[in-house]
Amino acid sequence: MTHIHGTARNQTLSSPGEKPFSVQGGKVIYIKVHKLLGDDLAEVSANGQRFLAKLETPLKAGERQWVEVKQTEAGISLQLIPSRQGDGEGIASKLLHHLSISTDEKEMTSLVSDLVKDKIPIHKEMLVFAGKHVTGEDAALNLKIIVEMAKRNLPFTDRIFLSMKAGESGDFISMLDTLASKLNEVGGDGSTLQVIRRLQEPLKRNISENLVIKALTGLADSSQTYANRLGRFDLLKSLGFIQNETVMNQWKEGLTGMILERVTSDGKGGLAATEGLRSGREQASSVSGAGTKSAFSLVDKWMNILTGSKTRLEGTEDETPEAAAKQLVGLAGKEKLVEMNFSRLEQITGKGVPSSNQEKIFQMLHHQTVLDLTEQLRGDELAKVLKRMIGDFGINYEAQFQKGYEIQGQTLKEHLIGLSQHHPSSDIRQLADDIVLRMNHQVLHSQDPSPLLTIVQQFPMYLFGRNTDITLQWTGKEKEKGVIDGDYCRVLFYLNMKELDETLIDMQVQHRVISLTVWNDHSAIEALSQPLIPDLKKGLEKLDYQLSAVKVKKPDKHESLSEKILRNESNRTFSGVDVKI
């Protein structure tokens, strides 16, 4: 949590190219007069920002009025727009008339009334743009979106408008499933389908890695029958984990040599590929640059524990054969190759009767691995899944690309942009663009002119047949550019599950002390959550966080939890470094 990065701060799509508030000629703003300085010059403020301007109409200190900004070489002057205070529609009509905008459309009057109520600066280009969208069937929704764009100081362009609107309907799961179906029908675009399948089967790499660990542990176990060990050996070769030229009675030497060659030639880069292994990064830092001798010592240590050649101290859980196999699998760095071959074996073997010892071993280990993950998926394993899914989804692809970052493999968003521009089918082009717009929606919602940084992440989650869109909203002090301070922040986690329906988890962090509120209407939610709290507490302690309380609350029947998570929190206040909500 100490390195939570936003996307919107680097995203060209949503950068208006100006500060959250600027004094520009032609804008209509709501000011307060603080001091009269003489010669019609006054110190005034708008949107909390103070500046000096010339008053074309005399005003009193403390007075609040709507004015139009005029900029000349001599500086800023403010022209009063006469209106009766407290009369929203009257003020709106005056402002529309002043900017030469027709007042015949009641929707335009309603729009300006909403802007006036929230003291949002108004300019003619905004109202001209709004005039194209605040009529017709979607008038009410479009009006709401335009007000939101004005609040966030976003550019008034069709692309931004459509991106904001894209979040109001549909969901990633159904859109992706439909796109995959259409691509299958027309054929081609196998690379796009491959990325979608990675999202639809997020546990594939976890299953393939854990299956290799089980196969390697069984191969090293001398108490197993020779046929069993040979089947596991052949399986590891088919998965690409052990090289084809290796023979059964020299598997240890072959595996050790392969790992050492990778570690010593690839250095830290190779070892860093042990993503998700508990001590993979520690090994990377200790071995990198230390030479072949240190690398051999590390690999030899884990190989001896794996084969039982080394007597481990009682109670050392991290030195079991399973733990050793996990470390060796991480050091080998063949996750992508293994995952690809795993998919191929799945298709070949299917659910039919195995035709060989290797297929029998594969089916047995596959069943055990899926069962284990279904029952025990939590903590590090789930974090790996979420991190990989967010990376594959590629919400901030444009920002990374424009900043020159190296992108590991093509993201879904990159594929979708290509489809929307070049695919021969108009249906696929439109659907791909609709998904891109929906991705942009959350980037735009991460724009926040307040002292806090807000990051919204929404992505599809396919897990054990229970498919849902997940929404994460991070809010907190900006530790450095685009990074939330994990010591003081708030995290909202929303999902809709088949059995539990809508669930919102509200996590508030103060001085690394965490309090959780679970919003859910299920009658048994409190009883179901209680047994999980001790493990949650231990897991947080390992990350140097302290759990103070877990509360379960039922939501208001008249309030949607999905609306609650993205609501504009205009009543937030700040004191020092603490976030008070």
Side-chain angles (χ1 to χ4, degrees):
M1 271 179 57
T2 53
H3 295 289
I4 304 160
H5 292 263
T7 57
R9 298 295 167 112
N10 301 320
Q11 188 72 285
T12 56
L13 169 75
S14 54
S15 297
E18 59 184 17
K19 296 179 181 179
F21 172 76
S22 61
V23 182
Q24 293 179 320
K27 270 192 174 181
V28 174
I29 59 176
Y30 190 68
I31 65 160
K32 177 182 177 181
V33 180
H34 292 278
K35 292 180 182 178
L36 300 174
L37 304 175
D39 293 332
D40 298 327
L41 197 64
E43 180 187 6
V44 301
S45 67
N47 279 36
Q49 181 172 317
R50 293 197 183 204
F51 58 96
L52 299 179
K54 183 177 181 180
L55 301 178
E56 293 189 2
T57 304
L59 295 174
K60 298 177 182 177
E63 198 169 349
R64 299 173 186 266
Q65 292 286 353
W66 282 94
V67 297
E68 182 180 1
V69 178
K70 293 185 177 180
Q71 280 186 319
T72 65
E73 292 181 359
I76 298 172
S77 63
L78 304 176
Q79 179 183 352
L80 177 67
I81 302 174
S83 58
R84 297 194 307 275
Q85 296 295 328
D87 182 2
E89 285 196 12
I91 295 173
S93 296
K94 286 278 187 182
L95 293 177
L96 286 167
H97 179 74
H98 181 83
L99 294 171
S100 302
I101 302 291
S102 171
T103 58
D104 293 341
E105 298 289 346
K106 63 177 182 180
E107 290 87 0
M108 289 298 292
T109 304
S110 176
L111 169 65
V112 176
S113 295
D114 287 344
L115 296 173
V116 166
K117 182 175 65 177
D118 291 331
K119 311 296 188 293
I120 297 172
I122 301 168
H123 52 90
K124 186 169 183 177
E125 291 76 10
M126 171 201 298
L127 299 180
V128 170
F129 178 87
K132 298 187 298 181
H133 297 285
V134 296
T135 57
E137 292 182 3
D138 292 337
L141 173 61
N142 292 350
L143 189 149
K144 174 184 170 186
I145 291 169
I146 289 169
V147 170
E148 188 67 22
M149 289 173 67
K151 285 181 180 178
R152 296 178 181 275
N153 200 42
L154 296 172
F156 284 90
T157 66
D158 289 335
R159 192 69 182 170
I160 298 292
F161 175 78
L162 290 173
S163 294
M164 292 291 287
K165 191 172 181 177
E168 302 295 333
S169 60
D171 59 80
F172 282 126
I173 294 288
S174 61
M175 294 172 86
L176 282 178
D177 289 348
T178 302
L179 179 61
S181 177
K182 287 182 178 292
L183 289 174
N184 271 317
E185 287 175 9
V186 300
D189 294 297
S191 57
T192 303
L193 281 169
Q194 191 176 10
V195 177
I196 294 176
R197 288 194 189 104
R198 281 209 305 268
L199 291 167
Q200 291 174 331
E201 300 174 336
L203 294 179
K204 176 87 51 138
R205 183 169 295 183
N206 299 65
I207 293 171
S208 61
E209 285 179 5
N210 289 343
L211 185 141
V212 169
I213 291 167
K214 288 182 184 295
L216 186 58
T217 305
L219 171 61
D221 185 358
S222 58
S223 67
Q224 297 277 342
T225 65
Y226 181 78
N228 194 315
R229 294 178 64 208
L230 179 61
R232 292 168 189 253
F233 172 73
D234 289 337
L235 175 58
L236 289 169
K237 287 175 70 174
S238 294
L239 289 169
F241 182 74
I242 291 179
Q243 294 172 335
N244 276 329
E245 59 270 22
T246 307
V247 294
M248 171 69 173
N249 62 357
Q250 292 182 346
W251 71 267
K252 288 184 287 186
E253 293 82 358
L255 182 58
T256 299
M258 181 266 292
I259 293 175
L260 284 174
E261 182 180 356
R262 176 175 184 269
V263 167
T264 54
S265 64
D266 212 14
K268 185 174 181 180
L271 287 168
T274 59
E275 174 196 336
L277 299 181
R278 192 173 58 83
S279 58
R281 292 184 182 85
E282 296 171 12
Q283 293 184 74
S285 59
S286 64
V287 177
S288 177
T292 306
K293 186 176 179 180
S294 176
F296 179 83
S297 175
L298 179 66
V299 175
D300 188 56
K301 168 194 170 183
W302 291 121
M303 191 64 75
N304 286 334
I305 294 173
L306 174 66
T307 57
S309 303
K310 176 182 176 181
T311 304
R312 67 184 183 91
L313 297 175
E314 188 175 348
T316 53
E317 295 179 4
D318 60 341
E319 293 194 354
T320 62
E322 292 78 12
K326 185 175 184 180
Q327 297 298 336
L328 292 168
V329 169
L331 289 170
K334 293 195 171 187
E335 294 87 354
K336 290 184 179 179
L337 176 63
V338 166
E339 183 181 4
M340 182 180 69
N341 287 324
F342 174 83
S343 298
R344 178 179 55 81
L345 287 176
E346 265 191 328
Q347 292 176 355
I348 293 172
T349 60
K351 296 182 180 179
V353 178
S355 58
S356 67
N357 187 35
Q358 176 189 315
E359 288 188 9
K360 180 181 177 182
I361 296 292
F362 177 76
Q363 286 190 6
M364 179 186 70
L365 295 181
H366 186 285
H367 176 74
Q368 290 177 357
T369 303
V370 171
L371 190 64
D372 290 347
L373 275 176
T374 304
E375 293 178 350
Q376 301 171 11
L377 184 68
R378 61 184 64 182
D380 290 346
E381 291 283 347
L382 185 56
K384 283 170 61 178
V385 173
L386 294 176
K387 182 178 179 182
R388 197 158 55 235
M389 287 191 68
I390 292 172
D392 286 342
F393 210 47
I395 292 168
N396 60 340
Y397 158 72
E398 294 99 332
Q400 290 179 318
F401 179 79
Q402 289 170 8
K403 284 184 142 323
Y405 293 154
E406 183 180 351
I407 300 172
Q408 299 295 326
Q410 284 192 311
T411 66
L412 177 66
K413 191 171 188 180
E414 186 177 359
H415 282 278
L416 293 172
I417 291 171
L419 288 178
S420 68
Q421 294 174 348
H422 306 298
H423 200 279
S425 167
S426 60
D427 285 351
I428 289 177
R429 288 199 306 271
Q430 185 61 57
L431 182 55
D433 195 49
D434 287 344
I435 301 174
V436 170
L437 289 171
R438 186 161 173 78
M439 287 180 171
N440 292 341
H441 174 263
Q442 60 191 284
V443 176
L444 294 172
H445 266 286
S446 295
Q447 289 275 349
D448 195 342
S450 76
L452 289 181
L453 173 61
T454 296
I455 300 170
V456 181
Q457 295 174 322
Q458 190 177 66
F459 48 92
M461 188 63 165
Y462 297 79
L463 210 58
F464 308 124
R466 300 173 177 88
N467 306 332
T468 182
D469 281 355
I470 286 179
T471 303
L472 277 166
Q473 179 174 308
W474 312 78
T475 303
K477 284 277 188 175
E478 196 169 13
K479 190 175 183 179
E480 54 189 81
K481 187 171 180 61
V483 179
I484 283 180
D485 186 352
D487 293 355
Y488 308 91
C489 64
R490 183 186 190 188
V491 184
L492 295 170
F493 178 79
Y494 168 82
L495 71 165
N496 197 335
M497 298 176 287
K498 185 176 180 181
E499 289 83 4
L500 297 179
D501 295 323
E502 283 192 315
T503 301
L504 175 63
I505 298 173
D506 185 352
M507 182 175 82
Q508 299 195 42
V509 186
Q510 296 285 313
H511 298 279
R512 299 186 76 84
V513 177
I514 293 176
S515 61
L516 280 179
T517 303
V518 180
W519 296 85
N520 187 278
D521 200 27
H522 196 284
S523 58
I525 189 66
E526 189 159 10
L528 290 170
S529 61
Q530 288 303 312
L532 303 175
I533 293 176
D535 285 344
L536 173 62
K537 191 171 185 178
K538 288 179 184 176
L540 288 171
E541 285 173 354
K542 288 179 182 178
L543 298 172
D544 194 28
Y545 285 91
Q546 180 183 343
L547 181 66
S548 66
V550 177
K551 300 175 183 176
V552 178
K553 294 184 178 181
K554 290 190 175 184
D556 188 328
K557 291 288 185 184
H558 303 289
E559 183 176 33
S560 168
L561 290 178
S562 59
E563 297 256 338
K564 187 183 184 78
I565 191 170
L566 292 172
R567 182 187 305 135
N568 180 23
E569 297 164 12
S570 58
N571 59 339
R572 292 175 296 193
T573 58
F574 313 98
S575 174
V577 291
D578 292 342
V579 181
K580 296 184 179 180
I581 301 173

